[in-house]
Amino acid sequence: MSRFNPYEENGGSILAIAGQDFSVIAGDTRQSLNYSIQTRYAQKVFPLTSSAVLAVNGFAADGKNFVKRVKQRLERRMFPFYVYNILAGIEEDGTGAVYSFDPVGSYEREACRGAGAAQSLLQPFLDNQIYFKNQTLAPGAEPFVPGRLPLSTVLSLVVDAFSSATERHIEVGDGLEMYVVMAPGRSADDLTAEEAQQAKEWPSELTVEEMESLGDEQEEGKAFRVFRLSRPLKRD
Amino acid sequence: MSSIGTGYDLSVSTYSPDGRLFQVEYAAKAAENAGLSIGLKCTDGIVLAVEKIVQSKLLVKGANRRIMSLDNHVGMVSSGLLADGRHLAKRGREEAQSYRDQYGAPMTLKALIERVAMYEHAYTCYGSVRPFGISTIMAGVDKTGPQLYVVEPSGSYYGYRASAVGKGKQLAKTELEKLDLSTITVKQGVMEVARIAHLVHDDNKEGNFELEMTWIGPETKGFHEHVPSQLLQEAEEAAKRALEEAMEED
Amino acid sequence: MNHHPGAWGQTLTPHQRFDAYSSSAPSRYQPSSAGSGVVGNDHGMYDAGNEAVMAGGTGVVGHTQQPLVTGTSVLGLVFDGGVMLAADNLASYGSLARFRDIQRLIPLESSKHSSSCLAVGGDMSDFQYLQKQLETMITNERTQALGDDHPSLGPRQIYEYLSNLMYARRSKMDPLWNAMLLGGVKDGESFLGYVDLLGTTYTSPTLASGFGSHMAQPLLREAYESRQAQGKSGEREGELMSRDEAVAVLEDCMKVLYYRDARSMNKYQIATITASGVDISASKSNETEWKFAEGLRGYGPQKQ
């Protein structure tokens, strides 16, 4: 006899990368079921506080309700939410942080993490580009240290990761939504200045808007800053 | 009230030697001295109105609504203790909803008024409770057409073509009797009710008032709704004009 | 399948269990072992549900069920004056076209500020239960709304309530077996959303449930996007379809579904939700052409 299956896989992918004094977190906006695209815009990345942004991937209904309940600070273990979470933001010491979680709650701080339908495409790419895996140091060169890439490089990595995943995975596409969280006092010129956006590395069709601070009172000049970046992905 | 102070007015569970329940009569007094409510049954619907004495200039105009809905098709207004009115409305809503749940159809006014009146009546039977200090007009349009009832604090109720409760109800009723109630429409009803409310009200004695009016008619598709503010304004202006003309004639 | 009462409760051989005409009610959740067209269970009858979920006689009762009387897909489309929904008039009992005059579009709250309407597919008894829940909630809110500026329910509020209800039921492992579209207009803004038995929700300017998500959604998207492109290029004013265009697209979709969906019927209604209220059309049907089928093996007179 068939048993009601309370879960579904709604595709899509999320990813986050930590920098020295910023972090970037992103997700595509497609929601699908098997071969059907349910909608081309469903949010997967949610700003939670002034310094933390959460990305949720897996069973969409659980994802929505998970975010709703995180905002109410509730806990649940016996009937797990079928969701993979990535939390990105700024730590108390001012460094960019990425935490990844599995559905039952075990978590880890990392320099980067990809999750969701295209995890197997995203993660090896990040391992190579962020952790410098399988790269050999030129004789006499500075040693590789993960988590020190400039923002512009991280942005183009995220865009490349998602455009590539879109090409190779049917459940990824439609749109890319990214959030950048910046430590207090950090200049945003490398994101908002005209020259930065004219640079060769700057991804095409990228729109940038600054988010309103999420509530916490912050002194002028010492505030966290959050930016929302979006860009179309292929829709096929 | 010749028997006042004879000891028979302390409990609702004790009759006086001449067979009266003084607490119930005192409750009726609370209703009689409060702002006037008017209800009118028309050929195509019903009209409810209440005279709200402006208690303070700090109150927002149009706020603190007094006429309530019990269901989509039933309105209610009462004169007397406001909180008692709200409590009764809550009970009325529960009755109407439970009827819908059980029978899958809207409750008729006759059935609803019976339940609400029985509820009020229960408060005249026990020494531990106090009767409702309100007279209530309940009106609506059900499958049998427009209906209007009045419930007293005693729990007795009567059906009317039109009625008024609260301060000045006698004068208002006399005016209502002059109307041709077998042909009147809600549109005409709104004008007449506004005129009567303004006629009965005495600015010098009671201060300013706001007129709140609701209806069920062809325009509301069977729902109990506020009379559109523009129509209400027209009705009030016409009422004031009519009063001035009558004054000049005198 | 043997429906004789004497056969009830008997264990069937795999051969007896094979149901060529799929006469038991369709389910989205067939066991993997009974895949590939084999529909049925160990009793040779509909499973009554209420099987004990946890082993060891803990007394914990599960509510897992199957839909019995079902409606098929529903469609939704945003146009320039609001939203349209479409659903046929059939409620099937398995493969039997059991009830042929069922309205699956229900108008909900409509006031000066907003209008909403629900289109329902899936189990019809769950739908009737849901309808009652919604109407109770809406009546309740409306009676309160006569007081001081109590906010009235718009389509987004009704959708949120519906989503929460569906998700709560799936989390109790006792789902309401439906897939629904809610369409509405509030303060001139159109809303169209989907919610199903898993509590899965999404919004989009074109939506379709069930079979329609495969057959009609591509047609709806194509029509919607080409009209949008015409607007963007300046060829035509505005980016949304007119009322007549929207009706034409929906009629076309209902025809395609009638040709291909064996649980559909050529009798359907369209709800038009605008700022001025919800208008539900009389039942209509499409001209169909079956001559081509004469040449098909299995339909026409040909043998082999």
Side-chain angles (χ1 to χ4, degrees), chain C residues 237-272:
Chain C
E237 205 170 308
E239 294 184 3
L240 293 173
M241 274 176 257
S242 69
R243 183 183 289 237
D244 292 345
E245 288 170 318
V247 169
V249 174
L250 284 175
E251 283 176 347
D252 188 44
C253 290
M254 291 309 278
K255 179 151 85 178
V256 170
L257 283 170
Y258 174 58
Y259 274 125
R260 286 292 176 183
D261 178 0
R263 300 288 168 270
S264 71
M265 186 171 62
N266 192 11
K267 182 178 166 196
Y268 61 94
Q269 287 169 288
I270 293 179
T272 309

mmCIF file of all heavy atoms in Angstrom, chain C residues 237-272:
data_model
loop_
_atom_site.group_PDB
_atom_site.id
_atom_site.type_symbol
_atom_site.label_atom_id
_atom_site.label_comp_id
_atom_site.label_asym_id
_atom_site.label_seq_id
_atom_site.Cartn_x
_atom_site.Cartn_y
_atom_site.Cartn_z
ATOM 1 N N GLU C 237 0.084 48.423 -27.318
ATOM 2 C CA GLU C 237 0.132 49.109 -26.035
ATOM 3 C C GLU C 237 -0.106 48.113 -24.897
ATOM 4 O O GLU C 237 -0.925 47.201 -25.014
ATOM 5 C CB GLU C 237 -0.943 50.196 -26.016
ATOM 6 C CG GLU C 237 -0.610 51.305 -25.046
ATOM 7 C CD GLU C 237 -1.555 52.476 -25.210
ATOM 8 O OE1 GLU C 237 -1.707 52.950 -26.365
ATOM 9 O OE2 GLU C 237 -2.120 52.898 -24.191
ATOM 10 N N GLY C 238 0.613 48.280 -23.831
ATOM 11 C CA GLY C 238 0.451 47.387 -22.674
ATOM 12 C C GLY C 238 1.095 46.042 -22.929
ATOM 13 O O GLY C 238 1.454 45.715 -24.063
ATOM 14 N N GLU C 239 1.273 45.260 -21.848
ATOM 15 C CA GLU C 239 1.958 43.978 -22.004
ATOM 16 C C GLU C 239 1.065 42.800 -21.690
ATOM 17 O O GLU C 239 1.513 41.653 -21.680
ATOM 18 C CB GLU C 239 3.202 43.955 -21.104
ATOM 19 C CG GLU C 239 4.234 44.973 -21.540
ATOM 20 C CD GLU C 239 5.519 44.902 -20.732
ATOM 21 O OE1 GLU C 239 5.631 44.015 -19.872
ATOM 22 O OE2 GLU C 239 6.394 45.746 -20.986
ATOM 23 N N LEU C 240 -0.220 43.067 -21.396
ATOM 24 C CA LEU C 240 -1.108 41.964 -21.003
ATOM 25 C C LEU C 240 -2.211 41.747 -22.033
ATOM 26 O O LEU C 240 -2.610 42.670 -22.746
ATOM 27 C CB LEU C 240 -1.739 42.264 -19.647
ATOM 28 C CG LEU C 240 -0.782 42.294 -18.458
ATOM 29 C CD1 LEU C 240 -1.504 42.770 -17.210
ATOM 30 C CD2 LEU C 240 -0.156 40.935 -18.220
ATOM 31 N N MET C 241 -2.687 40.519 -22.061
ATOM 32 C CA MET C 241 -3.771 40.170 -22.969
ATOM 33 C C MET C 241 -5.060 40.885 -22.592
ATOM 34 O O MET C 241 -5.292 41.173 -21.425
ATOM 35 C CB MET C 241 -4.039 38.668 -22.883
ATOM 36 C CG MET C 241 -3.179 37.839 -23.780
ATOM 37 S SD MET C 241 -3.523 36.103 -23.481
ATOM 38 C CE MET C 241 -2.113 35.688 -22.501
ATOM 39 N N SER C 242 -5.909 41.117 -23.578
ATOM 40 C CA SER C 242 -7.240 41.660 -23.313
ATOM 41 C C SER C 242 -8.114 40.518 -22.813
ATOM 42 O O SER C 242 -7.729 39.358 -22.867
ATOM 43 C CB SER C 242 -7.845 42.235 -24.588
ATOM 44 O OG SER C 242 -8.132 41.173 -25.471
ATOM 45 N N ARG C 243 -9.309 40.878 -22.376
ATOM 46 C CA ARG C 243 -10.239 39.872 -21.869
ATOM 47 C C ARG C 243 -10.554 38.822 -22.948
ATOM 48 O O ARG C 243 -10.500 37.619 -22.687
ATOM 49 C CB ARG C 243 -11.527 40.585 -21.448
ATOM 50 C CG ARG C 243 -12.573 39.688 -20.831
ATOM 51 C CD ARG C 243 -13.806 40.505 -20.541
ATOM 52 N NE ARG C 243 -13.593 41.418 -19.428
ATOM 53 C CZ ARG C 243 -14.339 41.433 -18.311
ATOM 54 N NH1 ARG C 243 -15.329 40.565 -18.167
ATOM 55 N NH2 ARG C 243 -14.111 42.299 -17.363
ATOM 56 N N ASP C 244 -10.829 39.301 -24.176
ATOM 57 C CA ASP C 244 -11.185 38.367 -25.253
ATOM 58 C C ASP C 244 -10.027 37.444 -25.605
ATOM 59 O O ASP C 244 -10.214 36.254 -25.847
ATOM 60 C CB ASP C 244 -11.633 39.144 -26.499
ATOM 61 C CG ASP C 244 -12.956 39.848 -26.260
ATOM 62 O OD1 ASP C 244 -13.631 39.488 -25.260
ATOM 63 O OD2 ASP C 244 -13.299 40.745 -27.041
ATOM 64 N N GLU C 245 -8.809 38.027 -25.639
ATOM 65 C CA GLU C 245 -7.638 37.201 -25.948
ATOM 66 C C GLU C 245 -7.433 36.131 -24.888
ATOM 67 O O GLU C 245 -7.133 34.976 -25.198
ATOM 68 C CB GLU C 245 -6.380 38.083 -26.035
ATOM 69 C CG GLU C 245 -6.337 38.950 -27.273
ATOM 70 C CD GLU C 245 -5.214 39.994 -27.223
ATOM 71 O OE1 GLU C 245 -5.022 40.607 -26.142
ATOM 72 O OE2 GLU C 245 -4.569 40.187 -28.246
ATOM 73 N N ALA C 246 -7.618 36.531 -23.633
ATOM 74 C CA ALA C 246 -7.417 35.577 -22.534
ATOM 75 C C ALA C 246 -8.422 34.437 -22.615
ATOM 76 O O ALA C 246 -8.071 33.259 -22.463
ATOM 77 C CB ALA C 246 -7.528 36.294 -21.195
ATOM 78 N N VAL C 247 -9.681 34.797 -22.895
ATOM 79 C CA VAL C 247 -10.710 33.751 -23.025
ATOM 80 C C VAL C 247 -10.338 32.794 -24.159
ATOM 81 O O VAL C 247 -10.422 31.571 -24.016
ATOM 82 C CB VAL C 247 -12.102 34.378 -23.275
ATOM 83 C CG1 VAL C 247 -13.113 33.312 -23.669
ATOM 84 C CG2 VAL C 247 -12.581 35.111 -22.036
ATOM 85 N N ALA C 248 -9.872 33.360 -25.283
ATOM 86 C CA ALA C 248 -9.521 32.528 -26.438
ATOM 87 C C ALA C 248 -8.408 31.548 -26.090
ATOM 88 O O ALA C 248 -8.471 30.361 -26.455
ATOM 89 C CB ALA C 248 -9.109 33.414 -27.611
ATOM 90 N N VAL C 249 -7.385 32.025 -25.373
ATOM 91 C CA VAL C 249 -6.276 31.139 -24.993
ATOM 92 C C VAL C 249 -6.757 30.037 -24.060
ATOM 93 O O VAL C 249 -6.420 28.858 -24.228
ATOM 94 C CB VAL C 249 -5.143 31.945 -24.308
ATOM 95 C CG1 VAL C 249 -4.062 31.014 -23.793
ATOM 96 C CG2 VAL C 249 -4.553 32.946 -25.268
ATOM 97 N N LEU C 250 -7.580 30.410 -23.090
ATOM 98 C CA LEU C 250 -8.076 29.406 -22.140
ATOM 99 C C LEU C 250 -8.945 28.369 -22.848
ATOM 100 O O LEU C 250 -8.859 27.173 -22.580
ATOM 101 C CB LEU C 250 -8.858 30.081 -21.009
ATOM 102 C CG LEU C 250 -7.998 30.788 -19.961
ATOM 103 C CD1 LEU C 250 -8.871 31.515 -18.952
ATOM 104 C CD2 LEU C 250 -7.099 29.804 -19.229
ATOM 105 N N GLU C 251 -9.795 28.850 -23.780
ATOM 106 C CA GLU C 251 -10.641 27.908 -24.523
ATOM 107 C C GLU C 251 -9.787 26.918 -25.295
ATOM 108 O O GLU C 251 -10.072 25.717 -25.317
ATOM 109 C CB GLU C 251 -11.574 28.676 -25.477
ATOM 110 C CG GLU C 251 -12.730 29.309 -24.741
ATOM 111 C CD GLU C 251 -13.629 30.166 -25.629
ATOM 112 O OE1 GLU C 251 -13.222 30.478 -26.784
ATOM 113 O OE2 GLU C 251 -14.699 30.532 -25.164
ATOM 114 N N ASP C 252 -8.721 27.447 -25.895
ATOM 115 C CA ASP C 252 -7.813 26.587 -26.650
ATOM 116 C C ASP C 252 -7.186 25.543 -25.730
ATOM 117 O O ASP C 252 -7.119 24.355 -26.060
ATOM 118 C CB ASP C 252 -6.737 27.460 -27.304
ATOM 119 C CG ASP C 252 -5.873 26.655 -28.262
ATOM 120 O OD1 ASP C 252 -6.453 25.867 -29.031
ATOM 121 O OD2 ASP C 252 -4.643 26.811 -28.213
ATOM 122 N N CYS C 253 -6.734 25.985 -24.564
ATOM 123 C CA CYS C 253 -6.119 25.066 -23.598
ATOM 124 C C CYS C 253 -7.110 23.997 -23.145
ATOM 125 O O CYS C 253 -6.763 22.820 -23.027
ATOM 126 C CB CYS C 253 -5.615 25.827 -22.376
ATOM 127 S SG CYS C 253 -4.188 26.849 -22.718
ATOM 128 N N MET C 254 -8.350 24.403 -22.899
ATOM 129 C CA MET C 254 -9.353 23.434 -22.440
ATOM 130 C C MET C 254 -9.637 22.411 -23.537
ATOM 131 O O MET C 254 -9.908 21.249 -23.261
ATOM 132 C CB MET C 254 -10.653 24.143 -22.037
ATOM 133 C CG MET C 254 -10.545 24.995 -20.778
ATOM 134 S SD MET C 254 -9.837 24.164 -19.362
ATOM 135 C CE MET C 254 -11.245 23.271 -18.717
ATOM 136 N N LYS C 255 -9.544 22.865 -24.791
ATOM 137 C CA LYS C 255 -9.761 21.933 -25.900
ATOM 138 C C LYS C 255 -8.624 20.912 -25.962
ATOM 139 O O LYS C 255 -8.867 19.706 -26.063
ATOM 140 C CB LYS C 255 -9.865 22.700 -27.218
ATOM 141 C CG LYS C 255 -10.077 21.775 -28.408
ATOM 142 C CD LYS C 255 -10.832 22.421 -29.526
ATOM 143 C CE LYS C 255 -9.891 23.208 -30.434
ATOM 144 N NZ LYS C 255 -10.633 23.796 -31.568
ATOM 145 N N VAL C 256 -7.399 21.415 -25.869
ATOM 146 C CA VAL C 256 -6.238 20.511 -25.905
ATOM 147 C C VAL C 256 -6.337 19.498 -24.761
ATOM 148 O O VAL C 256 -6.112 18.298 -24.942
ATOM 149 C CB VAL C 256 -4.924 21.320 -25.799
ATOM 150 C CG1 VAL C 256 -3.742 20.396 -25.585
ATOM 151 C CG2 VAL C 256 -4.722 22.160 -27.042
ATOM 152 N N LEU C 257 -6.714 19.982 -23.594
ATOM 153 C CA LEU C 257 -6.831 19.078 -22.439
ATOM 154 C C LEU C 257 -7.944 18.056 -22.660
ATOM 155 O O LEU C 257 -7.814 16.900 -22.272
ATOM 156 C CB LEU C 257 -7.093 19.884 -21.157
ATOM 157 C CG LEU C 257 -5.854 20.564 -20.589
ATOM 158 C CD1 LEU C 257 -6.233 21.531 -19.475
ATOM 159 C CD2 LEU C 257 -4.871 19.533 -20.054
ATOM 160 N N TYR C 258 -9.029 18.499 -23.289
ATOM 161 C CA TYR C 258 -10.119 17.562 -23.540
ATOM 162 C C TYR C 258 -9.671 16.457 -24.503
ATOM 163 O O TYR C 258 -10.020 15.290 -24.342
ATOM 164 C CB TYR C 258 -11.342 18.292 -24.081
ATOM 165 C CG TYR C 258 -12.444 17.345 -24.487
ATOM 166 C CD1 TYR C 258 -12.981 16.455 -23.554
ATOM 167 C CD2 TYR C 258 -12.911 17.298 -25.793
ATOM 168 C CE1 TYR C 258 -13.974 15.562 -23.914
ATOM 169 C CE2 TYR C 258 -13.895 16.400 -26.167
ATOM 170 C CZ TYR C 258 -14.417 15.535 -25.225
ATOM 171 O OH TYR C 258 -15.388 14.625 -25.580
ATOM 172 N N TYR C 259 -8.865 16.840 -25.496
ATOM 173 C CA TYR C 259 -8.375 15.836 -26.440
ATOM 174 C C TYR C 259 -7.447 14.829 -25.755
ATOM 175 O O TYR C 259 -7.440 13.653 -26.095
ATOM 176 C CB TYR C 259 -7.576 16.512 -27.572
ATOM 177 C CG TYR C 259 -8.414 16.995 -28.733
ATOM 178 C CD1 TYR C 259 -8.359 18.312 -29.165
ATOM 179 C CD2 TYR C 259 -9.241 16.109 -29.425
ATOM 180 C CE1 TYR C 259 -9.104 18.758 -30.241
ATOM 181 C CE2 TYR C 259 -10.000 16.560 -30.502
ATOM 182 C CZ TYR C 259 -9.928 17.875 -30.905
ATOM 183 O OH TYR C 259 -10.668 18.305 -31.965
ATOM 184 N N ARG C 260 -6.640 15.264 -24.837
ATOM 185 C CA ARG C 260 -5.557 14.421 -24.326
ATOM 186 C C ARG C 260 -5.747 13.897 -22.898
ATOM 187 O O ARG C 260 -5.115 12.903 -22.536
ATOM 188 C CB ARG C 260 -4.230 15.206 -24.377
ATOM 189 C CG ARG C 260 -3.679 15.348 -25.772
ATOM 190 C CD ARG C 260 -3.217 14.009 -26.302
ATOM 191 N NE ARG C 260 -2.759 14.125 -27.688
ATOM 192 C CZ ARG C 260 -2.355 13.097 -28.429
ATOM 193 N NH1 ARG C 260 -2.359 11.864 -27.926
ATOM 194 N NH2 ARG C 260 -1.966 13.274 -29.661
ATOM 195 N N ASP C 261 -6.528 14.578 -22.074
ATOM 196 C CA ASP C 261 -6.695 14.156 -20.686
ATOM 197 C C ASP C 261 -7.949 13.296 -20.587
ATOM 198 O O ASP C 261 -9.076 13.771 -20.767
ATOM 199 C CB ASP C 261 -6.815 15.395 -19.784
ATOM 200 C CG ASP C 261 -7.051 15.045 -18.316
ATOM 201 O OD1 ASP C 261 -7.121 13.829 -17.994
ATOM 202 O OD2 ASP C 261 -7.170 15.977 -17.502
ATOM 203 N N ALA C 262 -7.761 12.010 -20.288
ATOM 204 C CA ALA C 262 -8.890 11.080 -20.249
ATOM 205 C C ALA C 262 -9.837 11.361 -19.087
ATOM 206 O O ALA C 262 -10.930 10.837 -19.024
ATOM 207 C CB ALA C 262 -8.381 9.651 -20.163
ATOM 208 N N ARG C 263 -9.427 12.166 -18.115
ATOM 209 C CA ARG C 263 -10.302 12.500 -16.987
ATOM 210 C C ARG C 263 -10.933 13.878 -17.149
ATOM 211 O O ARG C 263 -11.371 14.484 -16.187
ATOM 212 C CB ARG C 263 -9.521 12.445 -15.671
ATOM 213 C CG ARG C 263 -8.913 11.114 -15.349
ATOM 214 C CD ARG C 263 -9.956 10.078 -14.940
ATOM 215 N NE ARG C 263 -9.352 8.759 -14.921
ATOM 216 C CZ ARG C 263 -9.302 7.928 -15.970
ATOM 217 N NH1 ARG C 263 -9.865 8.279 -17.128
ATOM 218 N NH2 ARG C 263 -8.714 6.754 -15.856
ATOM 219 N N SER C 264 -10.948 14.394 -18.376
ATOM 220 C CA SER C 264 -11.534 15.721 -18.597
ATOM 221 C C SER C 264 -12.864 15.606 -19.324
ATOM 222 O O SER C 264 -13.231 14.533 -19.786
ATOM 223 C CB SER C 264 -10.568 16.595 -19.400
ATOM 224 O OG SER C 264 -10.514 16.122 -20.733
ATOM 225 N N MET C 265 -13.557 16.722 -19.445
ATOM 226 C CA MET C 265 -14.855 16.730 -20.105
ATOM 227 C C MET C 265 -14.998 18.002 -20.929
ATOM 228 O O MET C 265 -14.464 19.047 -20.561
ATOM 229 C CB MET C 265 -15.972 16.671 -19.052
ATOM 230 C CG MET C 265 -17.348 16.532 -19.636
ATOM 231 S SD MET C 265 -18.597 16.206 -18.385
ATOM 232 C CE MET C 265 -18.481 17.658 -17.413
ATOM 233 N N ASN C 266 -15.731 17.893 -22.035
ATOM 234 C CA ASN C 266 -15.906 19.052 -22.917
ATOM 235 C C ASN C 266 -17.064 19.919 -22.427
ATOM 236 O O ASN C 266 -18.023 20.169 -23.143
ATOM 237 C CB ASN C 266 -16.141 18.592 -24.350
ATOM 238 C CG ASN C 266 -16.040 19.748 -25.342
ATOM 239 O OD1 ASN C 266 -15.607 20.844 -24.978
ATOM 240 N ND2 ASN C 266 -16.429 19.517 -26.572
ATOM 241 N N LYS C 267 -16.970 20.325 -21.185
ATOM 242 C CA LYS C 267 -17.980 21.193 -20.580
ATOM 243 C C LYS C 267 -17.260 21.865 -19.425
ATOM 244 O O LYS C 267 -16.796 21.175 -18.496
ATOM 245 C CB LYS C 267 -19.133 20.344 -20.080
ATOM 246 C CG LYS C 267 -20.276 21.124 -19.479
ATOM 247 C CD LYS C 267 -21.374 20.170 -19.059
ATOM 248 C CE LYS C 267 -22.376 20.825 -18.152
ATOM 249 N NZ LYS C 267 -23.199 19.832 -17.460
ATOM 250 N N TYR C 268 -17.088 23.170 -19.526
ATOM 251 C CA TYR C 268 -16.257 23.846 -18.531
ATOM 252 C C TYR C 268 -16.724 25.278 -18.321
ATOM 253 O O TYR C 268 -17.553 25.789 -19.071
ATOM 254 C CB TYR C 268 -14.793 23.836 -18.981
ATOM 255 C CG TYR C 268 -14.571 24.564 -20.286
ATOM 256 C CD1 TYR C 268 -14.186 25.903 -20.308
ATOM 257 C CD2 TYR C 268 -14.769 23.920 -21.495
ATOM 258 C CE1 TYR C 268 -14.010 26.579 -21.503
ATOM 259 C CE2 TYR C 268 -14.595 24.585 -22.700
ATOM 260 C CZ TYR C 268 -14.210 25.908 -22.691
ATOM 261 O OH TYR C 268 -14.055 26.571 -23.878
ATOM 262 N N GLN C 269 -16.153 25.899 -17.309
ATOM 263 C CA GLN C 269 -16.513 27.287 -17.008
ATOM 264 C C GLN C 269 -15.255 28.139 -16.867
ATOM 265 O O GLN C 269 -14.188 27.611 -16.555
ATOM 266 C CB GLN C 269 -17.298 27.352 -15.694
ATOM 267 C CG GLN C 269 -18.705 26.828 -15.826
ATOM 268 C CD GLN C 269 -19.346 26.658 -14.468
ATOM 269 O OE1 GLN C 269 -18.987 25.761 -13.720
ATOM 270 N NE2 GLN C 269 -20.280 27.529 -14.149
ATOM 271 N N ILE C 270 -15.414 29.419 -17.098
ATOM 272 C CA ILE C 270 -14.309 30.351 -16.917
ATOM 273 C C ILE C 270 -14.751 31.423 -15.915
ATOM 274 O O ILE C 270 -15.828 31.998 -16.059
ATOM 275 C CB ILE C 270 -13.898 31.006 -18.253
ATOM 276 C CG1 ILE C 270 -13.290 29.948 -19.182
ATOM 277 C CG2 ILE C 270 -12.915 32.150 -18.024
ATOM 278 C CD1 ILE C 270 -12.878 30.449 -20.535
ATOM 279 N N ALA C 271 -13.915 31.651 -14.923
ATOM 280 C CA ALA C 271 -14.198 32.717 -13.958
ATOM 281 C C ALA C 271 -13.348 33.929 -14.328
ATOM 282 O O ALA C 271 -12.154 33.798 -14.571
ATOM 283 C CB ALA C 271 -13.866 32.268 -12.550
ATOM 284 N N THR C 272 -13.986 35.084 -14.404
ATOM 285 C CA THR C 272 -13.253 36.328 -14.679
ATOM 286 C C THR C 272 -13.286 37.191 -13.423
ATOM 287 O O THR C 272 -14.354 37.596 -12.977
ATOM 288 C CB THR C 272 -13.898 37.082 -15.850
ATOM 289 O OG1 THR C 272 -14.045 36.163 -16.932
ATOM 290 C CG2 THR C 272 -13.027 38.240 -16.292
#
